[in-house]
Amino acid sequence: MSKMTQRKSLDYVKKDYVRTRTMPANWHLTSYKYKFNITHMKPFLGKLKEQKLVANRCSGCNRVFYPPRLVCGKCLVKPDKWVDIRDTASVSTYAIAYLKDSETGEVVERPMVLVHHDGTDTSSIAELHPDIDVKDTYVGMPIKAHWREERSGGLMDIEYYDKIEDDAEDIKD
Ligand SMILES: [Zn+2]
């Protein structure tokens, strides 16, 4: 049984800052359309539905991108190789989000983490299991993707990340 069903909706709590930075300027904006090309994501999204993770690799610098990138920012070429990656990862860094429960008004602290998947050279933002406390979150914490039971072939197919056993901690003991 998924924990997701028990989760309540939480709102971001905006703090009132005494002073903010201002930048005087005139902005001349005209209407424009922005098209985001996601054709390079298709093989990746298809695999998500099968509960598999793939990343793409740049043949110029050998960096592995997860999620896949349209273009390598260093080499300015399209990454052209698909590689299977595991669903294990670690926390690169994290920030504390203060979220307000829309029903009770209670403010909860939740870690927002940058996830670095094993075998890749990039990180992406994700959520941890809702029961994981901010105080128990640390940089380098090993985690594993938790898949939704019903997947749609989208980025939300990974519901959150679960904490897994830390081998480094055993070595310290
Ligand atoms: Zn490259």
Side-chain angles (χ1 to χ4, degrees), residues 1-43:
M1 184 62 196
S2 169
K3 270 256 172 192
M4 187 64 193
T5 49
Q6 294 152 31
R7 284 174 77 181
K8 289 180 201 160
S9 70
L10 297 165
D11 295 323
Y12 170 67
V13 180
K14 193 178 177 194
K15 293 202 172 156
D16 291 321
Y17 291 100
V18 181
R19 207 171 140 222
T20 57
R21 283 178 193 206
T22 55
M23 189 171 70
N26 291 311
W27 299 90
H28 301 287
L29 297 175
T30 160
S31 70
Y32 61 92
K33 279 181 186 165
Y34 183 76
K35 279 188 185 169
F36 184 66
N37 188 343
I38 62 154
T39 50
H40 70 289
M41 295 283 268
K42 282 204 174 126

Coordinates of all heavy atoms in Angstrom, one line a residue, residues 1-43:
M1 N 0.9 -1.2 0.0 CA 0.0 0.0 0.0 C 0.9 1.2 0.0 O 1.8 1.4 0.8 CB -0.9 -0.1 1.3 CG -1.9 1.0 1.4 SD -3.1 1.0 0.0 CE -3.8 2.6 0.2
S2 N 0.6 2.1 -0.9 CA 1.5 3.3 -1.1 C 1.2 4.3 0.0 O 0.0 4.5 0.4 CB 1.2 3.9 -2.4 OG 1.8 5.2 -2.5
K3 N 2.2 4.9 0.5 CA 2.1 6.0 1.5 C 1.5 7.2 0.9 O 0.9 8.1 1.6 CB 3.5 6.4 2.0 CG 3.9 5.6 3.2 CD 3.8 6.4 4.5 CE 4.0 5.5 5.7 NZ 3.6 6.0 7.0
M4 N 1.6 7.4 -0.4 CA 1.2 8.6 -1.1 C -0.3 8.9 -0.8 O -0.6 10.1 -0.7 CB 1.3 8.3 -2.6 CG 1.1 9.5 -3.5 SD 2.3 10.9 -3.1 CE 1.5 12.2 -4.0
T5 N -1.1 7.9 -0.7 CA -2.5 8.1 -0.5 C -2.8 8.9 0.8 O -3.9 9.5 0.9 CB -3.3 6.8 -0.5 OG1 -2.6 5.9 0.4 CG2 -3.3 6.2 -1.9
Q6 N -1.9 8.7 1.8 CA -2.1 9.4 3.1 C -1.6 10.8 3.1 O -1.8 11.5 4.1 CB -1.5 8.6 4.2 CG -2.2 7.2 4.4 CD -1.2 6.2 4.9 OE1 -0.3 6.5 5.7 NE2 -1.4 5.0 4.5
R7 N -0.9 11.2 2.1 CA -0.2 12.5 2.1 C -1.2 13.7 2.0 O -2.1 13.6 1.2 CB 0.9 12.6 1.0 CG 2.1 11.9 1.4 CD 3.0 11.8 0.3 NE 3.8 13.1 0.2 CZ 4.7 13.3 -0.8 NH1 4.9 12.4 -1.7 NH2 5.3 14.5 -0.9
K8 N -1.0 14.7 2.7 CA -1.9 15.9 2.7 C -1.2 16.9 1.7 O 0.0 16.9 1.6 CB -2.0 16.5 4.1 CG -2.9 15.6 5.0 CD -3.0 16.4 6.3 CE -3.3 15.4 7.4 NZ -3.0 16.0 8.7
S9 N -2.0 17.8 1.3 CA -1.4 18.9 0.4 C -0.7 19.9 1.3 O -1.2 20.3 2.4 CB -2.4 19.5 -0.4 OG -3.3 20.3 0.4
L10 N 0.5 20.3 0.9 CA 1.3 21.3 1.7 C 1.6 22.5 0.9 O 1.9 22.4 -0.3 CB 2.6 20.6 2.2 CG 2.4 19.4 3.1 CD1 3.8 18.6 3.2 CD2 2.0 19.8 4.5
D11 N 1.5 23.7 1.5 CA 1.7 24.9 0.9 C 3.1 25.5 1.3 O 3.5 25.3 2.4 CB 0.7 26.0 1.2 CG -0.7 25.6 0.7 OD1 -0.8 25.1 -0.4 OD2 -1.7 25.9 1.4
Y12 N 3.8 26.1 0.4 CA 5.0 26.8 0.7 C 4.8 28.0 1.5 O 3.9 28.8 1.2 CB 5.7 27.1 -0.6 CG 6.9 28.0 -0.4 CD1 8.1 27.6 0.2 CD2 6.9 29.3 -0.9 CE1 9.2 28.4 0.4 CE2 8.0 30.2 -0.7 CZ 9.1 29.7 -0.1 OH 10.2 30.5 0.1
V13 N 5.5 28.2 2.6 CA 5.3 29.3 3.5 C 6.3 30.4 3.1 O 7.5 30.3 3.1 CB 5.6 28.9 4.9 CG1 5.4 30.1 5.9 CG2 4.7 27.8 5.4
K14 N 5.7 31.6 2.6 CA 6.5 32.7 2.2 C 6.9 33.5 3.4 O 6.0 33.9 4.1 CB 5.8 33.5 1.1 CG 6.7 34.5 0.5 CD 6.0 35.2 -0.6 CE 6.9 36.2 -1.2 NZ 6.3 37.2 -2.0
K15 N 8.1 33.8 3.6 CA 8.5 34.6 4.7 C 8.6 36.0 4.3 O 8.9 36.4 3.2 CB 9.9 34.2 5.2 CG 9.9 32.8 5.8 CD 11.1 32.6 6.7 CE 11.0 31.2 7.4 NZ 12.3 30.7 7.9
D16 N 8.2 36.9 5.3 CA 8.2 38.3 5.0 C 9.6 38.9 5.3 O 10.0 39.0 6.5 CB 7.2 39.1 5.9 CG 5.8 38.7 5.4 OD1 5.6 38.6 4.2 OD2 4.9 38.5 6.3
Y17 N 10.4 39.2 4.3 CA 11.7 39.8 4.5 C 11.6 41.3 4.7 O 10.8 41.9 4.1 CB 12.6 39.4 3.3 CG 12.9 38.0 3.3 CD1 12.2 37.2 2.4 CD2 13.8 37.4 4.1 CE1 12.4 35.8 2.4 CE2 14.1 36.0 4.1 CZ 13.4 35.2 3.2 OH 13.6 33.9 3.2
V18 N 12.4 41.8 5.6 CA 12.4 43.2 5.9 C 12.9 44.0 4.7 O 12.3 45.0 4.4 CB 13.2 43.5 7.2 CG1 13.2 45.0 7.5 CG2 12.7 42.7 8.4
R19 N 13.9 43.6 4.1 CA 14.5 44.3 3.0 C 14.8 43.3 1.9 O 15.3 42.2 2.1 CB 15.8 44.9 3.5 CG 16.2 46.1 2.7 CD 17.4 46.8 3.3 NE 18.2 47.3 2.3 CZ 19.5 47.2 2.3 NH1 20.1 46.6 3.3 NH2 20.3 47.6 1.3
T20 N 14.5 43.7 0.7 CA 14.8 42.9 -0.4 C 15.7 43.7 -1.4 O 15.7 44.9 -1.3 CB 13.5 42.4 -1.2 OG1 12.8 43.6 -1.6 CG2 12.7 41.5 -0.4
R21 N 16.3 43.1 -2.3 CA 17.2 43.8 -3.2 C 16.3 44.3 -4.4 O 15.4 43.6 -4.8 CB 18.2 42.9 -3.8 CG 19.3 42.6 -2.8 CD 20.3 41.7 -3.4 NE 21.2 41.3 -2.3 CZ 22.4 40.9 -2.5 NH1 22.9 40.8 -3.7 NH2 23.2 40.5 -1.5
T22 N 16.6 45.5 -4.8 CA 15.8 46.0 -5.9 C 16.8 46.4 -7.0 O 17.9 46.7 -6.8 CB 15.0 47.3 -5.5 OG1 15.9 48.2 -4.9 CG2 13.9 47.0 -4.5
M23 N 16.3 46.3 -8.2 CA 17.1 46.7 -9.4 C 16.3 47.5 -10.3 O 15.4 47.0 -11.0 CB 17.5 45.4 -10.1 CG 18.6 45.6 -11.1 SD 19.2 44.1 -11.8 CE 17.9 43.4 -12.7
P24 N 16.5 48.9 -10.3 CA 15.7 49.7 -11.2 C 16.1 49.5 -12.6 O 17.3 49.4 -13.0 CB 16.1 51.1 -10.7 CG 17.4 51.0 -10.0 CD 17.6 49.6 -9.6
A25 N 15.1 49.3 -13.4 CA 15.3 49.1 -14.8 C 14.0 49.2 -15.6 O 12.9 49.2 -15.0 CB 15.9 47.7 -15.1
N26 N 14.1 49.4 -16.9 CA 12.9 49.4 -17.7 C 13.0 48.1 -18.5 O 14.0 47.8 -19.1 CB 12.9 50.6 -18.7 CG 12.7 51.9 -17.9 OD1 11.7 52.0 -17.1 ND2 13.5 52.9 -18.2
W27 N 11.9 47.5 -18.5 CA 11.8 46.2 -19.3 C 10.9 46.3 -20.4 O 9.7 46.6 -20.3 CB 11.4 45.1 -18.3 CG 12.2 44.9 -17.2 CD1 12.1 45.5 -15.9 CD2 13.4 44.0 -17.1 NE1 13.1 45.1 -15.1 CE2 13.9 44.2 -15.8 CE3 14.0 43.2 -18.0 CZ2 15.0 43.5 -15.3 CZ3 15.1 42.5 -17.5 CH2 15.6 42.6 -16.2
H28 N 11.5 46.2 -21.6 CA 10.6 46.2 -22.8 C 10.4 44.8 -23.3 O 11.2 44.2 -23.9 CB 11.3 47.0 -23.9 CG 11.6 48.4 -23.5 ND1 10.6 49.4 -23.3 CD2 12.8 49.0 -23.1 CE1 11.2 50.5 -22.9 NE2 12.5 50.3 -22.7
L29 N 9.2 44.3 -22.9 CA 8.9 42.9 -23.3 C 7.9 42.9 -24.4 O 6.9 43.6 -24.4 CB 8.4 42.2 -22.0 CG 9.3 42.1 -20.9 CD1 8.6 41.4 -19.7 CD2 10.6 41.3 -21.2
T30 N 8.2 42.0 -25.3 CA 7.2 41.8 -26.4 C 6.7 40.4 -26.2 O 7.3 39.6 -25.5 CB 7.9 42.1 -27.7 OG1 7.1 41.5 -28.7 CG2 9.3 41.6 -27.8
S31 N 5.7 40.1 -26.9 CA 5.1 38.7 -26.8 C 6.0 37.7 -27.5 O 6.5 38.1 -28.6 CB 3.7 38.7 -27.2 OG 3.7 38.8 -28.6
Y32 N 6.2 36.6 -26.9 CA 7.0 35.6 -27.6 C 6.5 34.2 -27.2 O 5.9 34.1 -26.2 CB 8.5 35.8 -27.3 CG 8.8 35.6 -25.9 CD1 9.2 34.4 -25.4 CD2 8.8 36.7 -25.0 CE1 9.5 34.2 -24.0 CE2 9.1 36.6 -23.6 CZ 9.5 35.3 -23.2 OH 9.7 35.2 -21.9
K33 N 6.9 33.3 -28.0 CA 6.5 31.9 -27.7 C 7.8 31.1 -27.5 O 8.8 31.3 -28.2 CB 5.8 31.3 -28.9 CG 4.3 31.6 -28.9 CD 3.6 31.0 -30.1 CE 2.2 31.4 -30.2 NZ 1.6 31.1 -31.5
Y34 N 7.8 30.3 -26.5 CA 8.9 29.4 -26.3 C 8.6 28.0 -26.5 O 7.6 27.5 -25.9 CB 9.4 29.7 -24.8 CG 10.7 28.9 -24.5 CD1 11.9 29.3 -25.0 CD2 10.6 27.7 -23.8 CE1 13.1 28.6 -24.8 CE2 11.8 27.0 -23.5 CZ 13.0 27.4 -24.0 OH 14.1 26.7 -23.8
K35 N 9.3 27.3 -27.4 CA 9.0 25.9 -27.6 C 10.2 25.1 -27.0 O 11.3 25.4 -27.2 CB 9.0 25.7 -29.1 CG 7.7 26.0 -29.7 CD 7.6 25.5 -31.1 CE 6.3 26.0 -31.8 NZ 6.3 25.8 -33.2
F36 N 9.8 24.2 -26.2 CA 10.7 23.3 -25.5 C 10.8 21.9 -26.2 O 9.7 21.2 -26.3 CB 10.4 23.1 -24.1 CG 11.4 22.3 -23.3 CD1 12.7 22.8 -23.1 CD2 11.1 21.1 -22.8 CE1 13.6 22.1 -22.4 CE2 12.0 20.4 -22.1 CZ 13.3 20.9 -21.9
N37 N 11.9 21.6 -26.8 CA 12.0 20.4 -27.5 C 12.2 19.2 -26.6 O 13.2 19.2 -25.8 CB 13.2 20.5 -28.5 CG 13.3 19.3 -29.4 OD1 12.7 18.3 -29.2 ND2 14.0 19.5 -30.5
I38 N 11.3 18.2 -26.6 CA 11.5 17.1 -25.7 C 11.6 15.8 -26.4 O 11.5 14.7 -25.9 CB 10.3 17.0 -24.6 CG1 9.0 16.7 -25.3 CG2 10.3 18.1 -23.7 CD1 8.0 16.0 -24.4
T39 N 11.9 15.9 -27.7 CA 12.0 14.6 -28.5 C 13.2 13.8 -28.0 O 13.1 12.5 -28.1 CB 12.2 14.9 -30.0 OG1 13.3 15.9 -30.1 CG2 11.0 15.5 -30.7
H40 N 14.2 14.4 -27.5 CA 15.3 13.7 -27.0 C 15.0 12.9 -25.7 O 15.7 12.0 -25.3 CB 16.5 14.6 -26.7 CG 16.3 15.5 -25.5 ND1 15.4 16.6 -25.6 CD2 16.8 15.5 -24.2 CE1 15.4 17.2 -24.4 NE2 16.2 16.5 -23.6
M41 N 13.8 13.2 -25.1 CA 13.4 12.6 -23.8 C 12.6 11.3 -24.1 O 12.4 10.6 -23.2 CB 12.5 13.6 -23.0 CG 13.3 14.8 -22.5 SD 14.3 14.5 -21.1 CE 13.1 14.8 -19.8
K42 N 12.1 11.1 -25.3 CA 11.2 10.1 -25.6 C 11.7 8.7 -25.1 O 10.9 8.0 -24.5 CB 10.7 10.1 -27.0 CG 9.7 11.1 -27.3 CD 8.8 10.9 -28.4 CE 7.7 11.9 -28.5 NZ 7.6 12.6 -29.8
P43 N 12.9 8.3 -25.5 CA 13.3 6.9 -25.1 C 13.4 6.8 -23.6 O 13.0 5.8 -23.0 CB 14.7 6.8 -25.7 CG 14.8 7.8 -26.8 CD 13.9 8.9 -26.3

